[in-house]
Amino acid sequence: MTAGSNKAKIARRVIEVLEFFDDSHREATVMDIVRRYNRPQSSTSELLSSLVELGLLHKDPYTRSYCLTPRAALLGNAGQSEVVRDGRLVRLMDRLSAQTGLSISLMGMVGLDSQVIVWRHGPRAPVCTRDLYGGCKEPLARNSAGQLMLSTVSASRCEGMVRRLNAEADAAHKFSAAEMLARIEALRERRYAFGPVGFGSEAESLCALVPRQPEDHPLVISLVYGREDKVNTEGLLQSIGEAMRACLPDPDSDNVEALQKTAA
């Protein structure tokens, strides 16, 4: 039991290190990792050295800072769907970030949780989202991206998931299962949603399903903005629809058409 627990901790810490790097953190020192995740300095230094030996990190001998290697970027790439493997999903996020100035998140479903796969903080990022980063998880029912992902699950299975989510929620996060199922059902054809980002923030978002993803592995792109921000929701719908049409391999997919019709 102890050995298994230690292995799980090591695996978690490896992923934490890799997820630390983003547009705002191209390099990191040992202390950067220590402060972000509240880890011991000695074991963190040892872990980073091991990742250098494995070819996943490069260490600058002068600044003693670390950065990701191409191997880290391409690890597992060959087994991904086309939209991930060929970089089109990254180009979609780049385009939306440049066009809107908003924060962009890519969300996935892990069991009964929504997980942040990538979070890109834009220049207009709400203060309440500054601490969000890749790897964060919370139950699917608590955020719009999660509810949208639930809409891709068959109705019978979705009902069981929603009832379990409600049963396992603490008192502060209980909800009406009937109302939640009705909202999810409305999203099945719409394939996009406006609503809360979740994760303890007060931010809002426009979420849209990434087309043609493998069954049971939905992905959602979200444009994130503050509740007090003056955003043109029709403009956001048009932007995300046009970006999907330009960047993704299936311009005639249902959710792109739905976005275009709504924006029109």
Side-chain angles (χ1 to χ4, degrees):
M1 291 289 289
T2 302
S5 177
N6 286 338
K7 289 178 181 179
K9 287 180 180 179
I10 293 170
R12 181 183 296 275
R13 292 180 182 183
V14 168
I15 298 302
E16 286 177 347
V17 169
L18 298 180
E19 287 181 333
F20 178 90
F21 298 93
D22 56 26
D23 287 345
S24 302
H25 304 92
R26 297 298 180 93
E27 297 181 345
T29 64
V30 172
M31 291 309 300
D32 289 332
I33 305 298
V34 168
R35 284 190 288 266
R36 163 74 70 84
Y37 300 109
N38 193 28
R39 302 302 188 198
Q41 181 176 348
S42 58
S43 60
T44 300
S45 180
E46 185 178 354
L47 175 60
L48 295 179
S49 295
S50 296
L51 294 177
V52 170
E53 292 178 10
L54 289 169
L56 297 175
L57 293 180
H58 171 75
K59 182 179 181 180
D60 188 302
Y62 302 103
T63 65
R64 305 183 68 81
S65 61
Y66 298 82
C67 63
L68 293 175
T69 66
R71 185 184 183 214
L74 297 173
L75 197 64
N77 188 54
Q80 296 299 312
S81 61
E82 181 183 1
V83 70
V84 176
R85 186 174 63 250
D86 65 10
R88 297 187 199 187
L89 193 54
V90 174
R91 289 195 290 276
L92 173 64
M93 298 178 70
D94 288 343
R95 176 172 174 144
L96 288 171
S97 179
Q99 283 185 341
T100 68
L102 298 176
S103 294
I104 312 293
S105 69
L106 176 65
M107 307 290 295
M109 185 167 69
V110 180
L112 293 176
D113 288 332
S114 299
Q115 183 178 47
V116 178
I117 298 174
V118 177
W119 190 285
R120 291 193 177 180
H121 294 280
R124 298 167 59 186
V127 174
C128 61
T129 65
R130 295 281 168 81
D131 293 331
L132 291 179
Y133 49 85
C136 294
K137 291 196 300 183
E138 75 169 11
L140 290 160
R142 294 189 194 175
N143 55 74
S144 295
Q147 294 166 19
L148 188 57
M149 287 187 283
L150 280 168
S151 74
T152 68
V153 179
S154 67
S156 58
R157 181 171 168 232
C158 179
E159 180 174 356
M161 294 172 71
V162 167
R163 296 194 182 282
R164 182 177 167 189
L165 282 162
N166 193 35
E168 295 179 355
D170 56 36
H173 294 99
K174 293 287 185 183
F175 55 85
S176 166
E179 291 178 3
M180 181 64 69
L181 286 167
R183 171 171 170 74
I184 291 168
E185 188 61 31
L187 296 175
R188 288 189 187 278
E189 291 188 12
R190 190 187 305 171
R191 302 181 70 80
Y192 71 89
F194 284 98
V197 169
F199 298 94
S201 79
E202 296 182 352
E204 297 290 312
S205 62
L206 163 60
C207 306
L209 285 165
V210 176
R212 304 297 184 184
Q213 291 307 291
E215 187 175 354
D216 294 329
H217 299 290
L219 294 175
V220 167
I221 287 279
S222 297
L223 300 177
V224 181
Y225 51 91
R227 288 183 178 177
E228 305 302 321
D229 290 348
K230 294 181 179 180
V231 298
N232 181 340
T233 55
E234 291 185 2
L236 290 185
L237 279 169
Q238 183 174 357
S239 292
I240 201 168
E242 290 176 350
M244 283 188 173
R245 188 173 294 278
C247 299
L248 299 185
D250 183 13
D252 297 321
S253 60
D254 294 340
N255 44 322
V256 175
E257 287 185 356
L259 288 165
Q260 295 285 7
K261 288 178 181 177
T262 304

